[in-house]
Amino acid sequence: MAANSGRVSSEEGDYIWGDRSSVLSNESSHQNASSKKQLPILPTHRTSMQQSRQPTGLPPADLRLERPAQITHPGPNSIQALQAAPTVPPPTMRITPSVDQQRPAVQVEHLSGGWAQRKSHASIPGRMPQLTVPAAQFQKWVNPQRKYLRRSRFARKVKFFSFICLIGFAGFLAYSWAQSQLAYAETSGQTIVLTVPEGATGDDISILLSEAEVVPSSTAYSWYLKLLHRDLSIQSGSYVVERQSSAGAVTKILEQGPNGNGSVVIPEGLWVDEILDSLAAQLPTVTRQSLEIALSNATFPTGFTPPEVVCPSAQPLCRWEGLLFPATYQFATDVTAEQVISEMTSGFEIAVAELDLVANAQAAGQDPYQVLVVASLIEGEAAIDEDRPKIAEVIYHRLSGAESDNAWLGIDATVIYSLGSRNPGDGVIVERHRDGTDPYNTSALGGSQTKQQLPPTPIGAAGRASISAALSPTANGYKWYTLPNPTTSAHTFSTNKADHDAADAQYDALVAAQN
């Protein structure tokens, strides 16, 4: 065989390459000398090939590559022999499958200068059909193990990455849920005193914190203590904590031990002067002087700045009357005077906001600050809650001036406040009633100057019930009321002067009988 041609023999068939003359001459001589079995040249049937089942992912048939290719195949010896052959000089190659389902074969066809020399070899049984492919793709196609390994490695990478993402996402969800159970999204800014009883366990404290709205979940906080603070020993006592806080913040407070003074009670109806004395007595870290300084530097609650008024000499802090809300407070052991005043003014703002005092007063055509003044009068007069809205009705009726002879409030508590003494004596009270220049005098004895007169400031700290009554008086036509019954503390209300006089007579008889 000439140098420009060649033949490779194997059990499956012969493979020939070279130019036209060399191939034809060597082919005829080789047929006489060789007894190797020859496989028939099988025709290419495009229609049958298109109808046959094409393996998934394989390239389309009859593609050409503009260079010779080295064909690799894992099985047949013929392929190994073909690999060992010299490089095929023709520029193009085409590989087409046989349509013989009993004996599948692959035809290798070298094309050059308008002629073709075909030889066929047996392919691996069961891998039908095989298609015409570029040489680079053919190497991957005829090596399924290599392709499988590549795909399997890629699939494993994808699965591993997906698994990591799934674990990360699950961890994020678990963390977000745990955070929502251990801390509120926003703090309230309010402090409370938590009393831990003797012998309380972590579960008991978790329930107390949850009920007080310090932490969102008692169960989550209980596990938080067990997992992260196993050695935490919580002492019994009073703790000042912030509502709507977090597990970490409240645990830090509990670790430091009790920090509360207990409950500091400021009852309704007290004057500012009395409130400061009570605070100084209950809180060891503040004094009356420090509270006065803090009050002078404080800012009035929004919307409730009192008028410029000359306070009575006995009540120099009259402009702050009614603005320090009466309630039960919880202060830390190291609380300052500024913190106390701030807490009480905040308590007032919260209360009036919850009662919607400003909007309700304006809807009724009233000034919110004057409603607060009326509420302080109700607080000073009423002894039971049922009487508060009735007293409010009488006050508003007299202020309206609908009856010229019943246009004085006639409330003794106003001059008692002006005098600065809870028990000044009847004579002192009557004498002050005659002073028409006192802006806190509401008695008819003051003449026309005190007619329909409302004190310029509240005369005490009104509670929620009195503020609510000032906003919602009854509409029963009440114009008068007697002094409270010494036994029941209830007032008797009347719609006309005759009934009022009769009620007064009954009250006088009752008092005389008791004496």
Side-chain angles (χ1 to χ4, degrees):
M1 185 176 292
N4 58 349
S5 65
R7 176 190 299 272
V8 175
S9 299
S10 67
E11 295 179 355
E12 289 86 354
D14 296 338
Y15 300 86
I16 303 172
W17 69 91
D19 57 29
R20 177 181 177 87
S21 59
S22 298
V23 169
L24 293 177
S25 61
N26 283 288
E27 174 67 10
S28 60
S29 61
H30 181 72
Q31 288 178 355
N32 298 327
S34 175
S35 59
K36 298 289 185 178
K37 65 177 180 179
Q38 300 289 327
L39 293 177
I41 297 178
L42 300 177
T44 299
H45 297 278
R46 302 286 179 167
T47 304
S48 299
M49 182 176 61
Q50 293 173 356
Q51 293 176 351
S52 61
R53 181 173 55 87
Q54 180 175 338
T56 304
L58 295 179
D62 200 19
L63 296 180
R64 295 174 178 240
L65 185 68
E66 297 301 324
R67 67 173 179 82
Q70 294 181 355
I71 304 175
T72 60
H73 199 288
N77 295 331
S78 60
I79 302 300
Q80 297 175 3
L82 184 59
Q83 287 180 312
T87 303
V88 182
T92 60
M93 177 186 71
R94 183 170 60 201
I95 302 169
T96 56
S98 168
V99 295
D100 186 354
Q101 301 295 328
Q102 300 299 323
R103 183 173 177 78
V106 171
Q107 294 183 4
V108 180
E109 182 178 354
H110 298 286
L111 307 176
S112 178
W115 68 277
Q117 177 66 38
R118 302 191 219 177
K119 284 292 183 180
S120 63
H121 71 279
S123 64
I124 301 174
R127 291 183 52 83
M128 281 297 296
Q130 300 180 30
L131 304 177
T132 301
V133 295
Q137 296 294 330
F138 179 72
Q139 291 184 8
K140 299 179 182 179
W141 175 35
V142 298
N143 191 348
Q145 184 178 8
R146 180 181 178 186
K147 185 175 182 180
Y148 171 77
L149 290 176
R150 288 183 176 179
R151 286 186 174 179
S152 61
R153 283 196 298 267
F154 178 75
R156 286 196 298 268
K157 291 180 181 179
V158 171
K159 290 179 180 178
F160 178 76
F161 179 75
S162 301
F163 178 74
I164 294 299
C165 292
L166 181 61
I167 293 297
F169 182 68
F172 172 76
L173 291 180
Y175 175 79
S176 300
W177 178 84
Q179 286 294 101
S180 67
Q181 298 300 302
L182 293 174
Y184 285 93
E186 296 182 0
T187 59
S188 65
Q190 302 177 15
T191 58
I192 63 171
V193 168
L194 179 75
T195 302
V196 177
E198 189 74 28
T201 64
D203 292 342
D204 297 333
I205 295 172
S206 299
I207 294 174
L208 290 175
L209 292 172
S210 178
E211 292 177 348
E213 296 183 359
V214 177
V215 295
S217 170
S218 60
T219 303
Y221 185 73
S222 179
W223 279 104
Y224 174 83
L225 291 179
K226 293 175 182 177
L227 295 176
L228 302 181
H229 300 274
R230 296 179 179 179
D231 300 330
L232 177 62
S233 178
I234 302 176
Q235 304 176 33
S236 60
S238 298
Y239 294 83
V240 177
V241 294
E242 187 176 10
R243 288 185 65 247
Q244 296 183 358
S245 183
S246 64
V250 71
T251 302
K252 184 177 181 180
I253 294 175
L254 295 175
E255 288 177 332
Q256 297 173 352
N259 66 342
N261 283 305
S263 299
V264 176
V265 180
I266 304 299
E268 293 85 350
L270 292 185
W271 304 332
V272 170
D273 182 70
E274 296 170 328
I275 291 175
L276 298 186
D277 286 340
S278 178
L279 290 171
Q282 296 183 70
L283 298 173
T285 58
V286 301
T287 63
R288 168 65 188 253
Q289 183 180 8
S290 65
L291 289 169
E292 287 181 357
I293 294 174
L295 201 61
S296 64
N297 295 327
T299 303
F300 293 112
T302 303
F304 291 90
T305 301
E308 295 292 340
V309 61
V310 177
C311 293
S313 58
Q315 301 287 4
L317 300 174
C318 71
R319 297 189 72 207
W320 274 99
E321 288 294 349
L323 302 179
L324 300 179
F325 193 70
T328 300
Y329 292 92
Q330 315 292 344
F331 297 111
T333 53
D334 58 349
V335 69
T336 65
E338 290 77 13
Q339 291 172 335
V340 171
I341 298 302
S342 176
E343 184 74 14
M344 295 191 71
T345 54
S346 296
F348 170 82
E349 291 176 335
I350 292 171
V352 298
E354 292 175 349
L355 294 170
D356 206 7
L357 171 58
V358 175
N360 287 330
Q362 293 175 346
Q366 298 174 327
D367 179 75
Y369 187 79
Q370 289 185 348
V371 171
L372 191 63
V373 175
V374 172
S376 71
L377 300 181
I378 297 171
E379 196 68 65
E381 290 285 282
I384 59 177
D385 288 342
E386 290 80 358
D387 286 351
R388 298 182 193 277
K390 299 175 183 178
I391 293 174
E393 181 181 1
V394 174
I395 291 174
Y396 286 128
H397 170 73
R398 293 177 179 178
L399 287 175
S400 68
E403 295 177 308
S404 58
D405 59 346
N406 189 23
W408 289 267
L409 296 183
I411 296 177
D412 292 346
T414 59
V415 296
I416 291 175
Y417 173 79
S418 179
L419 291 168
S421 172
R422 290 291 181 181
N423 296 295
D426 291 343
V428 176
I429 293 175
V430 172
E431 184 66 26
R432 181 57 65 92
H433 281 168
R434 295 190 176 98
D435 183 4
T437 62
D438 186 351
Y440 289 88
N441 183 11
T442 59
S443 173
L445 296 177
S448 59
Q449 290 179 293
T450 59
K451 189 174 184 179
Q452 295 178 259
Q453 178 167 280
L454 190 68
T457 68
I459 62 170
R464 291 174 183 269
S466 294
I467 296 176
S468 180
L471 290 170
S472 303
T474 57
N476 298 324
Y478 294 134
K479 302 175 182 178
W480 291 271
Y481 60 90
T482 64
L483 294 173
N485 186 299
T487 303
T488 63
S489 298
H491 295 270
T492 300
F493 294 86
S494 304
T495 59
N496 57 74
K497 187 66 167 62
D499 290 344
H500 174 62
D501 291 340
D504 270 343
Q506 292 178 358
Y507 172 81
D508 293 338
L510 181 60
V511 172
Q514 289 182 347
N515 294 333

